[in-house]
Amino acid sequence: MVEHTGGLVEVVYHPGDPQSSPLDVRNGTEIVITLHGSTSYGWTPIEVIAGPLTVVEAENDEETTTATVRATGPGEAELRSTSSFRGDRFGPRTRLWRLTVHVKP
């Protein structure tokens, strides 16, 4: 688990990277996430699945998805996005990216 006490945390993921380690942040921290893909694999928008995070800004293009989320209270949260092969819906497997965030008061 990685603890961050600053007001801004950046998370960058490239295909083939290991999954991100869980984050410890304080309430009010903003997390900027950038998921890099390719022209063959595109990411869905980053979603807050559960917990005290709010998406404040999001952007998608053909190869990259970016989101800024803000911690809005104490607790545990999860962010997710999936990447699918665009050339054939029956093609290679869908990939899941996820990040667990622990928000402290």
Side-chain angles (χ1 to χ4, degrees):
M1 191 170 325
V2 180
E3 182 170 352
H4 297 275
T5 57
L8 182 67
V9 176
E10 292 186 54
V11 175
V12 178
Y13 179 82
H14 295 276
D17 285 353
Q19 286 288 324
S20 301
S21 297
L23 293 177
D24 268 354
V25 300
R26 297 217 178 270
N27 188 26
T29 299
E30 288 194 345
I31 306 166
V32 178
I33 304 120
T34 303
L35 306 178
H36 294 279
S38 68
T39 54
S40 298
Y41 277 89
W43 291 102
T44 59
I46 297 166
E47 296 180 290
V48 176
I49 300 302
L53 296 177
T54 300
V55 176
V56 294
E57 187 176 340
E59 200 174 306
N60 255 22
D61 66 26
E62 195 169 297
E63 296 182 19
T64 305
T65 190
T66 303
T68 301
V69 298
R70 181 177 297 126
T72 58
E76 182 175 292
E78 184 175 326
L79 299 166
R80 286 189 189 175
S81 179
T82 57
S83 176
S84 298
F85 183 69
R86 292 183 178 159
D88 176 1
R89 64 187 176 119
F90 301 107
R93 301 183 324 182
T94 296
R95 295 180 287 190
L96 171 66
W97 173 87
R98 76 173 71 170
L99 176 65
T100 301
V101 180
H102 301 276
V103 182
K104 297 179 179 183

